Amino acid sequence: MRSHHTHAGVLGLCALLLAIPAAFAQPPDASLKEEVKQRLGKVEQSLDDWDVGGARRELAEVEKRVPSELEPLKYFQGRVSFEEGQYEDAVTLLEGANIEDKPGSYLRLAKDTRAITKDHQRAESDHFIFFYPKGKDEVLVPYALETLEAIHRALKEDLGWTPPGKVRVEVVNNARELSKVSTLTEKQIRTTGTIAICKFNKLMVTSPKAVAQGYDWQDTLAHEYVHLVVSQMSHNTVPIWLHEGIAKFMESRWRGKGGLAMTPSTQALLGKRVKEDKLIPFDKMHPSIAMLPTAEDAATAFAEVFYAIDYIHGTKGTQGLRTVLQELKAGQSDKKAVEAATGMPFPLFEKTWLSYVKKQPFPQELVPRDDRVVLKEDAKGAQKEGEKKGREISFGDFAEVSEVPARKFAHLGELLRERNRVKAAAEEYARAHKLVGDKYESVSNKFALALLELRRLDEAESVLRGSLRMHPGSPSTNVHLGRILLFRKDYPKAKTAYLEALASDPFDPEIHLALTRIHGALGETALATRTRGAASNLTGLKPDDVDRAAQAFLRAEGELSETNVPASSPDAPKPASTPAKPAPKPAPEPSGISR
């Protein structure tokens, strides 16, 4: 995605350069003035190319030739310091350059970012520095760094590029903070469900605690890292549709092969837009998918560009992707780059791509979208802080069910289960499930919970696995499946289910209690220590008490569906009872955004 850094409230480069003569005790000779002008121009170009190291080197040469109080020098020193994460220095330097403190200026960005991150904790791996708010976000650290190192290895293999130095990753608390550290407005963030951004030589990601049902935060980290690599290796020449397509296609490489990001709900939406002839032209995605008018438009655009890259990769492999990036870096247009990679004229590529899209196995009907990010403050009926999960009774879960008979059966089932008439409840859920199949996570999960209480484990597992085929990655569904597998002592499969849940909802104490028990049973001592610490963080229990809670995690007799999870500390909410998968990723900004 192209980076279009706004300069609102900032002197333009030409105006800054006019200040050069006045800063010298004696007027500079023409050759020195021209050299300084050219070198500062190279600093600006290096920053635009996402080459911060190059900008710093050029700046060092300027520093040898001009007085330190020169405003243009301070401005670029501030810019480089900001992109290096030295926010205190950046503020001082930009103020020294007399940059106006107003929305959109680098000075305001530096001040806001400094304020938001000043108390962040820090963790490092071989290639990343991870900054996160104090408290429960500490749970993210080991999983985040493992994800990032895995995508680093994968892109080194596939694209042949690794960023110089360690990549900075910053976690923010909510949409308001994400708006302040980026160039997006809160309205744009809420409209398109933007949850993370790659810009200013770093990754910025919203904590899953800000989202009602969590979101696929590990895929999101990988997605944003792809943006960083693509921007750096191409010198920021890749147009947004190719940028987002590559990031969407490659985001699953940390956990396996590329191309695993497309869900049935997104395919159903794309199928609907194809049928209506309402696809988004590639050039309309500029300058940012985050700026498209609706979340549905953004989701459609992501699906389109995913399949464009899926087609190129399917026919030409990773070499096809490398060719696209190399051609763009060399100055070719996006059309010429695609022609070089595919060996066909661009109009033929578009025609072939559209034919490829139309051949996809679209669901016959729309599936409720699981790529929507609902911020916690916008969610209705979310579980209260510190409340036990219990039997997960909720009557608001079926609002998404558009088929009235199925919704009535499901609602009746919930009434009966609330009154402990579980067998009768299961019969009503079964009627609803028969009408709608795996279409709704709410119906499938409530049916499965009733079957769990009746100890009809095989049937419950079948219902849950069917739901996961339609809604892959759902944290609620994976937790419920994990309960069955853990009850059976099938520890390897239970581990997979709970880690899938953690990839979307890392703050559910049940997940960490279960994993503590599973890792212990598998002899994975170090991993058990990790999850014990996470469970202690989220519940307020001492580590020894966590072990006891993990051992008592499933009651011995008859209450398989009730989790007996301790109430967490006030700052660690449980997931809402409505099963729903959060969102993949839309919304790029010039440099790479995701939701």
Side-chain angles (χ1 to χ4, degrees):
M1 164 182 338
R2 299 296 296 276
S3 175
H4 298 272
H5 295 191
T6 56
H7 288 232
V10 174
L11 291 174
L13 177 59
C14 292
L16 282 165
L17 293 175
L18 290 174
I20 291 175
F24 289 85
Q26 299 295 326
D29 61 57
S31 62
L32 177 58
K33 180 181 176 182
E34 183 61 28
E35 180 189 354
V36 171
K37 180 179 178 181
Q38 288 182 0
R39 286 192 179 277
L40 289 179
K42 289 180 180 179
V43 173
E44 175 88 354
Q45 186 60 53
S46 294
L47 289 172
D48 286 346
D49 291 347
W50 286 50
D51 180 9
V52 178
R56 175 60 77 186
R57 288 190 294 273
E58 286 292 341
L59 207 50
E61 293 300 319
V62 177
E63 290 167 348
K64 297 174 184 177
R65 292 162 169 76
V66 300
S68 59
E69 66 269 18
L70 186 70
E71 286 187 3
L73 176 62
K74 287 182 179 295
Y75 166 71
F76 284 110
Q77 287 174 327
R79 284 278 309 276
V80 172
S81 292
F82 176 68
E83 302 230 0
E84 291 176 335
Q86 306 298 322
Y87 303 130
E88 192 69 51
D89 291 345
V91 170
T92 300
L93 289 163
L94 291 168
E95 286 178 335
N98 288 317
I99 300 305
E100 191 174 359
D101 182 5
K102 61 185 292 186
S105 72
Y106 280 106
L107 178 56
R108 178 65 60 85
L109 273 170
K111 283 185 172 181
D112 285 343
T113 306
R114 178 185 64 178
I116 288 167
T117 62
K118 64 183 175 65
D119 293 325
H120 274 29
Q121 303 294 293
R122 172 185 178 130
E124 291 192 46
S125 62
D126 289 345
H127 303 102
F128 297 88
I129 309 174
F130 190 75
F131 295 88
Y132 60 97
K134 292 178 181 178
K136 64 195 291 185
D137 288 288
E138 186 175 357
V139 169
L140 305 176
V141 173
Y143 301 99
L145 291 176
E146 287 173 358
T147 300
L148 290 163
E149 290 293 344
I151 192 67
H152 178 276
R153 291 190 297 271
L155 293 197
K156 180 180 181 181
E157 177 183 340
D158 292 354
L159 300 181
W161 178 268
T162 57
K166 292 191 178 185
V167 175
R168 187 180 183 94
V169 183
E170 295 173 353
V171 178
V172 298
N173 284 301
N174 48 43
R176 180 186 60 81
E177 289 189 354
L178 185 64
S179 174
K180 285 182 174 292
V181 300
S182 69
T183 54
L184 292 179
T185 66
E186 279 194 67
K187 181 180 179 181
Q188 288 169 339
I189 288 170
R190 290 175 183 276
T191 297
T192 57
T194 298
I195 209 69
I197 302 171
C198 171
K199 195 169 184 177
F200 307 128
N201 198 44
K202 62 183 177 181
L203 316 184
M204 295 165 278
V205 59
T206 305
S207 170
K209 71 188 177 192
V211 181
Q213 294 290 334
Y215 69 95
D216 50 348
W217 63 278
Q218 287 177 285
D219 275 4
T220 296
L221 281 171
H223 181 103
E224 298 308 324
Y225 178 72
V226 178
H227 280 305
L228 183 77
V229 167
V230 168
S231 292
Q232 288 186 351
M233 71 178 292
S234 69
H235 286 179
N236 200 28
T237 55
V238 179
I240 194 166
W241 71 273
L242 284 169
H243 227 306
E244 285 300 343
I246 294 170
K248 193 67 185 167
F249 181 82
M250 300 294 287
E251 71 180 42
S252 59
R253 276 290 281 122
W254 73 273
R255 56 186 168 92
K257 64 181 183 178
L260 302 179
M262 197 53 50
T263 63
S265 67
T266 306
Q267 286 181 315
L269 172 62
L270 180 61
K272 166 179 168 281
R273 298 288 287 248
V274 167
K275 187 175 181 180
E276 295 172 348
D277 194 24
K278 291 184 178 179
L279 295 181
I280 311 287
F282 293 144
D283 58 2
K284 296 295 184 184
M285 300 176 192
H286 180 82
S288 171
I289 290 179
M291 296 179 184
L292 289 172
T294 69
E296 182 178 298
D297 285 342
T300 302
F302 270 96
E304 290 179 41
V305 296
F306 169 89
Y307 279 116
I309 300 303
D310 188 44
Y311 175 74
I312 293 173
H313 184 271
T315 55
K316 300 298 181 179
T318 54
Q319 183 55 50
L321 303 185
R322 289 193 188 200
T323 299
V324 168
L325 297 177
Q326 290 162 357
E327 292 291 317
L328 286 165
K329 180 180 178 181
Q332 294 288 359
S333 68
D334 55 345
K335 294 180 180 180
K336 291 295 183 183
V338 170
E339 288 176 350
T342 60
M344 63 176 70
F346 191 78
L348 179 58
F349 165 77
E350 284 190 299
K351 183 178 180 181
T352 308
W353 160 77
L354 184 57
S355 176
Y356 179 67
V357 168
K358 290 178 177 178
K359 291 177 182 176
Q360 297 306 310
F362 298 124
Q364 293 302 304
E365 57 182 337
L366 278 180
V367 180
R369 276 181 48 214
D370 44 32
D371 62 347
R372 289 174 293 184
V373 169
V374 180
L375 298 175
K376 194 160 287 181
E377 59 261 39
D378 298 334
K380 296 179 181 179
Q383 193 165 348
K384 295 179 181 178
E385 299 282 332
E387 179 185 348
K388 289 188 179 183
K389 289 164 71 177
R391 297 173 67 226
E392 301 175 44
I393 300 290
S394 172
F395 294 95
D397 291 353
F398 308 116
E400 64 176 353
V401 181
S402 59
E403 296 84 351
V404 174
R407 185 167 66 245
K408 288 182 177 179
F409 286 136
H411 190 79
L412 178 57
E414 196 74 343
L415 284 169
L416 292 166
R417 197 163 73 91
E418 184 188 36
R419 296 169 187 174
N420 287 318
R421 296 180 59 190
V422 183
K423 185 177 180 180
E427 292 173 355
E428 298 303 322
Y429 291 135
R431 291 187 176 98
H433 190 262
K434 185 176 181 180
L435 289 175
V436 298
D438 302 320
K439 182 176 179 179
Y440 300 104
E441 288 181 78
S442 54
V443 172
S444 295
N445 276 267
K446 292 308 179 72
F447 185 22
L449 285 171
L451 293 171
L452 287 177
E453 289 190 70
L454 295 170
R455 285 306 205 37
R456 291 158 60 179
L457 303 189
D458 290 345
E459 294 172 72
E461 181 179 0
S462 177
V463 169
L464 292 170
R465 291 197 182 279
S467 183
L468 285 172
R469 282 190 289 273
M470 189 64 74
H471 304 280
S474 164
S476 299
T477 310
N478 273 303
V479 163
H480 297 153
L481 179 60
R483 292 177 191 171
I484 296 173
L485 298 167
L486 186 54
F487 181 79
R488 290 175 175 159
K489 295 183 169 54
D490 188 344
Y491 296 117
K493 289 183 181 178
K495 176 181 173 180
T496 298
Y498 279 110
L499 287 175
E500 284 280 333
L502 186 147
S504 286
D505 188 6
F507 301 126
D508 181 353
E510 174 179 348
I511 295 171
H512 301 281
L513 287 170
L515 286 171
T516 299
R517 179 174 172 179
I518 291 165
H519 291 317
L522 293 173
E524 297 169 339
T525 307
L527 294 177
T529 299
R530 169 198 291 185
T531 52
R532 186 180 298 113
S536 177
N537 180 321
L538 296 174
T539 63
L541 294 173
K542 295 179 179 178
D544 289 345
D545 293 331
V546 168
D547 283 337
R548 283 191 286 273
Q551 289 303 317
F553 177 61
L554 292 180
R555 295 177 182 175
E557 296 293 335
E559 295 184 57
L560 187 66
S561 69
E562 196 157 343
T563 62
N564 198 28
V565 175
S568 66
S569 60
D571 116 300
K574 309 292 191 310
S577 59
T578 308
K581 183 185 185 283
K585 285 146 228 36
E589 221 287 317
S591 6
I593 294 187
S594 100
R595 87 180 188 195

